[in-house]
Amino acid sequence: MQIGEVAARTELSLRTIRHYEETGLVVPSARSRGGFRLYTETDVARLMVIRRMKPLGFTLDQMRDLLDATDRLDADTPLRADEREALLERVRAYQQEAAEQVEKLRVQLSRAEDFEGTLRARLERDAHADRA
Amino acid sequence: MQIGEVAARTELSLRTIRHYEETGLVVPSARSRGGFRLYTETDVARLMVIRRMKPLGFTLDQMRDLLDATDRLDADTPLRADEREALLERVRAYQQEAAEQVEKLRVQLSRAEDFEGTLRARLERDAHADRA
DNA sequence: CTCTACCCTAACGTTAGGGTAGAGTTGTTG
DNA sequence: CAACAACTCTACCCTAACGTTAGGGTAGAG
């Protein structure tokens, strides 16, 4: 499928999807003779994974690195034990960072809620002041 | 007080505080004869407000605009009724946007939690596979 | 053909700061 | 007063992750 449909399905912009290719994050599986990017279901799935990762604040480089690790772990080609351990260690590090980031997001959310509440309270106060 | 102490108290970097001045968001109340920025408690309070706003994803321009509106509403100089109404309308718009942003943060948080969980589950699975 | 809806590359713009260099300022000692 | 550490100044270049033109090429229906 071409980029437009991919964008619609992933809710990512065309520019974003092209950018992910530029940085080597998700390279379309093929091109049409005319040069159009052609994506498979697998490519789309990968984009969805990235979309879920985005709120965690990882850089594109980190995402590429992590996806690379899981891809290699899932591949059919068997790995040497030490290679496998190294990959798992990488994934563990990202999982740790993800957990920390989740904590930060919680803090942010509560700050945001707090601020929104303050703003609303203020507006209600001002509305009452109208009659003062 | 000078910029270093302000940075310590607000947990913002020197660079960030200077940047806020460049964009007219928080201009220090004074300068020393030698040119050092000098901040008052009020300035610090303003920086704290901004720090609370940050998670809402407003641009610095928007924050400046909003702070400007609330400042004018709080000022001692009386406003014409229509001016006051216009300012309130501006604040209302930002409150709306804040509420929307809170929703987005909730979505992001749940996606992040989800992803972190997936990653953790995956690691546990791989750990068990060790013994297989 | 030709039309329309898509898609392409290339390249500069934006936001919110980070980092650095080189020079000046403050407040404290001797 | 000089010397000095600690702090601060301006100016400038750098970055990530796209947004935004501009100027063209492509797919496929009619």
Side-chain angles (χ1 to χ4, degrees):
Chain A
M1 103 201 55
Q2 31 189 78
I3 198 170
E5 193 182 335
V6 174
R9 284 178 49 182
T10 59
E11 295 173 54
L12 297 170
S13 75
L14 301 189
R15 184 62 180 88
T16 297
I17 297 172
R18 292 194 187 114
H19 184 63
Y20 287 173
E21 180 184 0
E22 285 170 22
T23 59
L25 197 49
V26 181
V27 179
S29 299
R31 292 271 188 153
S32 73
R33 269 160 316 162
F36 287 17
R37 290 173 180 77
L38 297 175
Y39 294 85
T40 63
E41 287 298 332
T42 312
D43 295 333
V44 174
R46 205 174 156 95
L47 284 167
M48 292 303 248
V49 172
I50 292 165
R51 213 188 57 163
R52 270 210 303 284
M53 287 176 74
K54 268 173 71 177
L56 288 169
F58 287 141
T59 67
L60 299 187
D61 276 4
Q62 288 176 313
M63 295 194 209
R64 187 159 34 59
D65 191 42
L66 173 53
L67 283 174
D68 189 64
T70 55
D71 279 0
R72 301 226 322 251
L73 282 169
D74 291 341
D76 292 334
T77 50
L79 297 159
R80 286 204 323 268
D82 59 334
E83 282 175 338
R84 202 175 108 84
E85 193 41 49
L87 289 175
L88 281 175
E89 191 47 47
R90 236 157 86 191
V91 177
R92 265 194 289 273
Y94 283 119
Q95 185 265 324
Q96 277 256 340
E97 210 176 317
E100 283 165 28
Q101 190 57 29
V102 165
E103 265 320 294
K104 278 195 197 164
L105 273 175
R106 288 214 177 90
V107 172
Q108 284 196 15
L109 175 56
S110 94
R111 279 195 198 159
E113 282 170 337
D114 188 81
F115 183 82
E116 193 270 334
T118 306
L119 213 51
R120 206 175 43 217
R122 200 224 139 95
L123 280 168
E124 278 164 26
R125 185 158 47 70
D126 284 348
H128 289 308
D130 260 358
R131 301 175 307 209
Chain B
M1 103 200 53
Q2 33 190 77
I3 199 168
E5 194 183 334
V6 174
R9 284 178 50 181
T10 58
E11 293 173 56
L12 297 170
S13 72
L14 301 189
R15 186 65 182 83
T16 297
I17 296 173
R18 293 195 188 111
H19 185 63
Y20 287 173
E21 180 183 0
E22 285 170 22
T23 60
L25 196 48
V26 181
V27 179
S29 299
R31 291 271 187 152
S32 73
R33 268 160 317 164
F36 285 18
R37 291 172 179 78
L38 298 175
Y39 295 85
T40 63
E41 288 299 331
T42 312
D43 295 333
V44 174
R46 204 175 157 97
L47 284 167
M48 291 303 248
V49 172
I50 291 167
R51 214 187 57 160
R52 268 210 303 284
M53 286 176 75
K54 270 173 69 178
L56 288 168
F58 287 141
T59 67
L60 299 188
D61 276 4
Q62 288 176 313
M63 294 194 212
R64 187 162 34 59
D65 192 42
L66 173 53
L67 283 173
D68 189 64
T70 55
D71 280 358
R72 301 228 318 252
L73 282 168
D74 291 341
D76 293 334
T77 50
L79 297 159
R80 286 203 323 267
D82 60 332
E83 282 175 337
R84 203 175 106 84
E85 193 41 48
L87 290 174
L88 281 174
E89 191 48 46
R90 237 156 84 191
V91 177
R92 266 195 288 272
Y94 283 118
Q95 186 266 323
Q96 278 255 338
E97 211 176 316
E100 283 165 29
Q101 191 56 29
V102 165
E103 265 321 293
K104 279 194 197 164
L105 275 175
R106 288 214 177 91
V107 173
Q108 286 197 12
L109 175 57
S110 92
R111 279 194 197 159
E113 282 170 337
D114 188 79
F115 183 82
E116 192 271 333
T118 306
L119 213 51
R120 204 174 44 215
R122 198 226 138 93
L123 281 168
E124 278 163 27
R125 183 158 48 72
D126 284 348
H128 290 308
D130 260 359
R131 301 174 307 207

